[in-house]
Amino acid sequence: MSQSTLTHLGPDNIAGDHIPTVPTHDYTTRSNNHLEIHKDHDHFDPEKRVSQLSRDDGTPSPPGEDEERRLSAVNSRTSSAVTTTTYPEGGLRAWSVVFGAWCGMIACFAQLNTIGTFQAYISRNQLRDFSESQIGWIFGVYVFLSFFCGVQIGPVFDKHGPRFLVLLGSCCTVASVLLLGICTQYWHFMLCWGVLGGLGTSLLFTPGIACIGHFFSKKRGAATGLAATGGSIGGIGFPIMLQALFPRVGFAWATRIMGFILLFLLIICNLLIRSRLPPVSGASSLPDFKIFRDAKFAWTTAGVFLVELGIFVPLSYITSYGITNGISEAYSYQLLAVLNAGSFFGRWVPGYVADYLGRFNTMILTVGLCIVSTFAFWLPAEKSVPLVTVFAVLFGFGSGSNISLTPVCVGQLCRTENYGRYYATSYTIVSFGTLVGIPIGGQIISASGGDYRNLIIFTGLCYVAGIICFIAARVIKVGWKVSAVY
């Protein structure tokens, strides 16, 4: 390898090691992202060095043996240097990906964060003859598919990048929202919202979040959280917009207007989002359940499962809760927007803090905030507008951070190139919690005669069990040391 090649690699890439000079006629070729060094034996006479070189036992080294050892060391060091993954941590290209993901998050979370609005509306109109639990299965299937489809989408992203996935997800999402206007039967909503919408969300969410990890490492929590605020923007704007449009233009045109807005945002998303790291050679398209042998990963997945089991209960039923408890219908619809306003800050601020305080540490604190807000404010609220409003703000902040920190916590347990498979494997399990969470909530309401107290207790207990799992994952890694950054 020539001296100029060593200069190009630089002292930082060589990690401060002294690299012995090799003959100037050696040359390098790139193969499989490694440097291979080839010797030109016609210009190297090892006999000249025999008298200077010896083995550890003092006997002379055979001609060429020592030089081959030195060349092997050079090759090993340079290969390691070349394959070390680096991250831009900023720049126009990196932040444009974040902005593209931000637009995509508005679109894919538009349906997720308006579940409460649509649940309250269709349960009193198109599907008024169906129980809360039956209607809950529509939204449960939607959330389930949003995460379960990551089983294939994560590894496919690892191998082929985001372009096709994001395009297909955009088509499914826009079609789902535009078709809602003509839905009148239960199976219409199940296919349109539950199946088509769920597929679209999964195709957008997984690549959108994973692409950010290709450009950021140290600032990954802040960048991911910033992109995730897009979901909160949609969660604030769309419920208020729909509340105003339903009585003015009707359900059909209200959903069409929402669909056209999503179409515009997803065009921007498709233009800007991209990956940077090379495809993973030989990556599997299936989840790898052997990963669960890692206790940290197993406890983390259990924690996410329990958090996701509880998180969609308030998102789905807070509007119905307000109407049932005598809060005005207008403000009951706005409660979802208030919750998402808290979520806006919850998705970004904790992500920024997590880069310094530790991702698991921050997750534990925000899950604890959800527990406090549920038991201290929502449980005793009943008809109290101030208490339920405080709950919506605090729970929105805490649950928003849960959504943005989950991918970062999973990513901390693996190499970046394997992130898609780890994330998909985790959410293969977690998705079943999202499937049953909303229907269980509806069944609890029905079994309680329309009272929401037991539903609130169920939500709080899910978070209590979740925080225990996250603490267990942290203790396995750093012990009980409170000051440890993890």
Side-chain angles (χ1 to χ4, degrees), residues 5 13 75 178 405 433 459:
T5 307
N13 291 329
N75 187 45
L178 290 177
L405 288 175
T459 302

Side-chain angles (χ1 to χ4, degrees), residues 192-242:
C192 185
W193 184 292
V195 178
L196 188 59
L199 291 173
T201 297
S202 67
L203 287 162
L204 289 172
F205 180 74
T206 302
I209 293 297
C211 276
I212 296 173
H214 282 223
F215 293 85
F216 295 89
S217 180
K218 293 181 180 178
K219 299 179 181 178
R220 187 177 299 171
T224 303
L226 186 61
T229 61
S232 297
I233 294 293
I236 296 169
F238 286 124
I240 296 174
M241 181 191 78
L242 291 170

Side-chain angles (χ1 to χ4, degrees), residues 158-416:
D158 288 343
K159 293 176 69 175
H160 303 292
R163 291 293 188 188
F164 175 75
L165 295 172
V166 173
L167 178 60
L168 183 59
S170 300
C171 294
C172 291
T173 298
V174 173
S176 173
V177 176
L178 290 177
L179 289 172
L180 275 177
I182 60 175
C183 292
T184 57
Q185 303 296 318
Y186 183 89
W187 67 271
H188 294 170
F189 285 98
M190 178 61 79
L191 290 178
C192 185
W193 184 292
V195 178
L196 188 59
L199 291 173
T201 297
S202 67
L203 287 162
L204 289 172
F205 180 74
T206 302
I209 293 297
C211 276
I212 296 173
H214 282 223
F215 293 85
F216 295 89
S217 180
K218 293 181 180 178
K219 299 179 181 178
R220 187 177 299 171
T224 303
L226 186 61
T229 61
S232 297
I233 294 293
I236 296 169
F238 286 124
I240 296 174
M241 181 191 78
L242 291 170
Q243 177 201 353
L245 290 176
F246 283 155
R248 294 183 184 181
V249 300
F251 182 82
W253 269 106
T255 55
R256 287 172 192 151
I257 291 170
M258 180 177 172
F260 290 133
I261 294 172
L262 299 186
L263 175 62
F264 172 75
L265 291 168
L266 288 172
I267 289 173
I268 298 175
C269 175
N270 278 269
L271 291 174
L272 294 181
I273 205 165
R274 68 191 74 182
S275 58
R276 183 183 68 89
L277 299 178
V280 179
S281 178
S284 171
S285 293
L286 295 172
D288 185 2
F289 291 103
K290 291 185 291 184
I291 301 172
F292 285 107
R293 294 174 182 174
D294 181 354
K296 298 187 299 298
F297 181 78
W299 280 109
T300 300
T301 299
V304 178
F305 175 92
L306 291 161
V307 166
E308 298 287 355
L309 183 65
I311 193 173
F312 291 105
V313 172
L315 287 172
S316 301
Y317 293 110
I318 192 168
T319 299
S320 297
Y321 168 87
I323 294 172
T324 302
N325 282 278
I327 299 173
S328 69
E329 184 171 339
Y331 191 69
S332 295
Y333 276 98
Q334 292 168 11
L335 276 173
L336 188 58
V338 172
L339 191 151
N340 284 313
S343 178
F344 173 85
F345 297 100
R347 297 188 190 204
W348 178 67
V349 175
Y352 179 81
V353 172
D355 289 333
Y356 300 94
L357 185 62
R359 289 140 188 185
F360 276 80
N361 293 344
T362 308
M363 175 66 89
I364 291 168
L365 291 175
T366 55
V367 172
L369 179 62
C370 291
I371 295 171
V372 171
S373 65
T374 300
F375 287 119
F377 295 99
W378 196 19
L379 186 60
E382 296 184 352
K383 298 181 180 181
S384 174
V385 173
L387 279 179
V388 76
T389 301
V390 171
F391 160 75
V393 172
L394 293 180
F395 185 86
F397 184 89
S399 62
S401 65
N402 302 156
I403 293 172
S404 64
L405 288 175
T406 295
V408 183
C409 287
V410 173
Q412 186 167 322
L413 303 175
C414 66
R415 296 176 59 184
T416 302

